[in-house]
Structure formats: C-alpha cells, structure tokens
Amino acid sequence: MRWALIGASRIASGYVIDAIRAQEGAEIQSVLSSDAERGAVFARDNAIPESFTDLEAQLADETVDAVYISTTNEKHHSQALAAIAAGKHVLCEKPLAMTLSDAVEMVEAARNNAVTFATNHHLRNAGSHLAVRDLISSGRIGKVLSARVFHAVHLPEHLRGWRINDASAGGGVIPDITVHDADTIRFHLAEDPVDVVAKAGTSGMGEGVEDSVMSVWSMPSGAMIQTHESFTHAFAGTGIEFHGTDGSIFARNVMTQEPVGEIRLVDTNGETQISFETHNLYHRALGLFCGAVRGTGSPSADGIDGIKSLAVAHAVREAAQSGSTVRVDYGGF
C-alpha cells in the first residue's frame, strides 16, 4: 500500500509516518506542501522520495493508493474531493471540514467512488479508552447518568499559530479539541448528543478565536455531559469520568496522543485500578484503516463519525455565540 501525504505537518512527522510504516507492505511516496522549500526539507528529513506543491500532480501518481490529509482545516474539503476523484483512499484529520455540508459532501463522494474514507480521531484507539468503553458496555457502572470531560491543556508555542489567531483556517479550541471530545463521548456511549448549551471566551491566548469553552450536552438516554476545553490551562491535567447507577469510572490523563494515564472503578466493592493495553494509538488506527481498504473490518472512526463530531462542535460554538440551547444538526446522518 503506497501513501501520499497531503500536508507537511507536525502530526504527520511525529506520529502518522511511523504508524504508516509500521503496517506490512506500506510505504510513503510523496508529500505536498504549499512551500516548496518546506516540502523538500520535510521529504528529506522523513526519507520520502518526492515532494510536491501541486496537488493535481501529486495525485496523478497511479501507484499511490491512499492519502493522509493533515493540512489546515479550510483545505480538507477540496483536497479530499480531489483525492477521492483520483481514486485514492482517504484518512483525513479532524475536523473534516469548515462546514457540515462540506463534510457530508466528502463522505458521500467517497461512498459514490467506492473508496475508504476515515477520520483520524486518535483517542478511540487508546487502550485506556477501549477499557473504559468495555466497562460501560459490560454494565459495570449500570445505567450512565452523567459524564465529565476535562480537556483543558496548555497549547505549546510550536502548535499555536493559526490555531489561536486564524478563524478562516479553522482556529479556536472548539474545532481543535471539542470535536475530539464529541467523538470520544459518542464512542463510549454509542449515542449522539441531542442539544447543547455553552459559554466560550478568551483567557490569555486566543486572538480573534475562543481559547476556552465549557458546555453541557443532553443525550437521548437522559445522561448529561459536561465538557471543558481550553488552550490556557498548564496544570489542570486531563481526563474523563462516567457516573452510573452502580458505579463510577475515573480516567485521568487519558486525553492524549500517548498510551498513558490511569483508570479507577469505584462501586460497592470499593476502588479498583483498571489495567489497559499500552499500544501505540496511531499504529492501531492505521492498522484498522489498512484493513478496511483490504475489505476486512472498518476504520476506527469513519466519515460519519467525522461528520457527527463536527456537528456537535458546531452546535457548541453556536450555543456559545447565541447564549441559547442549540439542537445538534447531523446533516441527515
């Protein structure tokens, strides 16, 4: 399986290139960057044979089977449609697009062209989150009554740029982090938020975009979800909690790209430490994606998962801006 990278990004060099190469028979042929020098340096540093500045030229390579898109958010839609039209399978970073209608168009185009399309929601691949989901689905805490996500971090300087100052590129903490938490809650509870209320603002880092947000979501089951995302909290730690009729799950420091953290189950038997697999999140995600391309199984997060996480994030932003309860629109999915 031969890959092309659309975007000379830090997530590609830090995580995804290694995960692609960990798959049997996989190799990376090219990388695309709008800056020719940056692309050439990225290709050299990562042992990639070719670099391009022209997407059409890159996609003309008939030996390429799949693309990984990790450009800024406003570019995903057009780049994904071009790759799909060229017959390439697509793994796209979240959020899929700037608008829900664009995300829907991407997913439907992939379906119509019979190519595999996936969203790179990494958290659902973590051993910690797989263990939490198993606790919930096996009934260890009974009926889930509520959940709390705390995903307020301190965005390192090298990741700021457009994320804190460019709304047109998809900047802001809501498309960057809330979208992950939406996918994670959906993964654990196997249901989609119905409506949301929210407040957002700036707390020291945002320049024209929000850098902090809190929201509450209502679920079809009656469960209530509380979330907190931020770019400005250096010491808060991250985690997720689920509270049910028969027990509670406390997962700390698990909202991360690394296989770390701890899980505690508290119920009538007392407190139990829950063990979990510490595999590489991206190796698992790429393995499932490659399996889906071969016709065995599904990606860990498909295009519909990407649409729905984006829909929740949009509802959170609308609720924060309007000060009212907003019903989540899933674009017909």
Side-chain angles (χ1 to χ4, degrees), residues 122-123 126 129 151 238 253-261 281:
H122 63 278
L123 289 174
H129 286 279
H151 202 164
T238 71
N253 299 320
V254 297
M255 312 302 287
T256 172
Q257 294 166 296
E258 306 300 334
V260 297
L281 283 66

Side-chain angles (χ1 to χ4, degrees), residues 137-247:
S137 64
S138 64
R140 291 290 295 275
I141 64 170
K143 176 179 171 61
V144 176
L145 303 175
S146 65
R148 184 169 79 97
V149 185
F150 43 110
H151 202 164
V153 300
H154 192 261
L155 191 67
E157 188 169 354
H158 69 274
L159 292 180
R160 294 176 192 174
W162 62 272
R163 287 182 175 85
I164 65 168
N165 63 21
D166 192 349
S168 66
V173 75
I174 293 172
D176 201 61
I177 302 183
T178 305
V179 70
H180 271 311
D181 295 342
D183 182 72
T184 304
I185 288 293
R186 292 185 58 255
F187 175 70
H188 287 306
L189 298 184
E191 59 176 347
D192 301 322
V194 175
D195 56 44
V196 307
V197 295
K199 283 191 176 292
T202 56
S203 54
M205 198 175 290
E207 302 170 8
V209 297
E210 82 287 336
D211 62 26
S212 294
V213 63
M214 292 185 176
S215 59
V216 177
W217 314 343
S218 299
M219 307 298 284
S221 64
M224 295 181 65
I225 314 300
Q226 174 192 355
T227 78
H228 177 204
E229 296 90 18
S230 180
F231 287 154
T232 63
H233 288 47
F235 309 105
T238 71
I240 191 166
E241 300 172 1
F242 292 92
H243 306 287
T245 54
D246 299 330

Side-chain angles (χ1 to χ4, degrees), residues 91 116-119 124-125 285 288-289 291-293 297-303 305:
L91 174 61
T116 299
F117 187 94
T119 312
R124 58 169 60 206
N125 292 283
L288 290 172
F289 180 87
V293 170
S298 304
S300 58
D302 61 18
D305 292 315

Side-chain angles (χ1 to χ4, degrees), residues 89-103:
H89 304 286
V90 176
L91 174 61
C92 186
E93 270 303 324
K94 58 77 212 169
L96 289 186
M98 297 288 286
T99 68
L100 193 67
S101 60
D102 281 354

Side-chain angles (χ1 to χ4, degrees), residues 13-96:
S13 59
Y15 293 96
V16 176
I17 288 174
D18 169 68
I20 289 173
R21 289 174 172 160
Q23 310 308 314
E24 184 177 359
E27 58 185 82
I28 301 169
Q29 178 61 29
S30 65
V31 61
L32 177 83
S33 175
S34 59
D35 183 313
E37 182 178 357
R38 174 179 168 79
V41 170
F42 188 95
R44 182 198 67 204
D45 291 348
N46 293 284
I48 297 171
E50 296 181 284
S51 64
F52 290 87
T53 57
D54 181 79
L55 179 62
E56 184 177 354
Q58 183 188 37
L59 294 175
D61 185 347
E62 295 182 356
T63 70
V64 168
D65 305 295
V67 302
Y68 168 59
I69 300 174
S70 61
T71 48
T72 49
N73 300 340
E74 85 284 6
K75 298 176 182 176
H76 293 177
H77 173 248
S78 61
Q79 291 171 338
L81 290 182
I84 292 165
K88 315 301 185 187
H89 304 286
V90 176
L91 174 61
C92 186
E93 270 303 324
K94 58 77 212 169
L96 289 186

